[in-house]
Amino acid sequence: MSSSPEPQQQQKSQKQIDTEFTSYYLQRATQEFGEALDAVRSADDFKPDSSIAVLISALQQGTGMFSEEDKRAVICSEGAARSSK
């Protein structure tokens, strides 16, 4: 089994990788922190019109701690995992 990324994944632009990684990261974060996010959403001072945008922005900031190589590796491994199912 080869550890190199799938050729299709290697051809993706960095913008595509960033977009896919952000989506993946947000899905994982909401799964992992679901109870905490529910508590935030049910707080008395939570305002859906403005608080949701702030919450999403705050979660997206977490993607900044990953290098471009890390993002590509995650997306490539996720693509390989999906294609092997």
Side-chain angles (χ1 to χ4, degrees), residues 9-74:
Q9 300 292 337
Q10 289 178 333
Q11 295 175 5
K12 289 185 177 185
S13 71
Q14 192 57 50
K15 182 174 179 158
Q16 289 172 306
I17 294 292
D18 288 342
T19 299
E20 289 182 31
F21 182 81
T22 297
S23 176
Y24 172 81
Y25 181 86
L26 289 175
Q27 288 173 356
R28 294 295 304 198
T30 55
Q31 287 174 346
E32 294 296 321
F33 303 113
E35 289 180 26
L37 292 171
D38 286 340
V40 168
R41 285 191 296 243
S42 62
D44 292 336
D45 60 347
F46 187 82
K47 296 175 178 68
D49 293 341
S50 60
S51 298
I52 290 176
V54 171
L55 188 56
I56 291 170
S57 178
L59 289 171
Q60 285 176 328
Q61 295 302 311
T63 64
M65 68 181 165
F66 295 92
S67 70
E68 302 302 327
E69 291 173 351
D70 290 341
K71 292 176 185 180
R72 187 171 292 276
V74 168

Side-chain angles (χ1 to χ4, degrees), residues 74-85:
V74 168
I75 294 305
C76 291
S77 68
E78 281 299 302
R82 276 188 251 127
S83 65
S84 68
K85 288 185 179 179

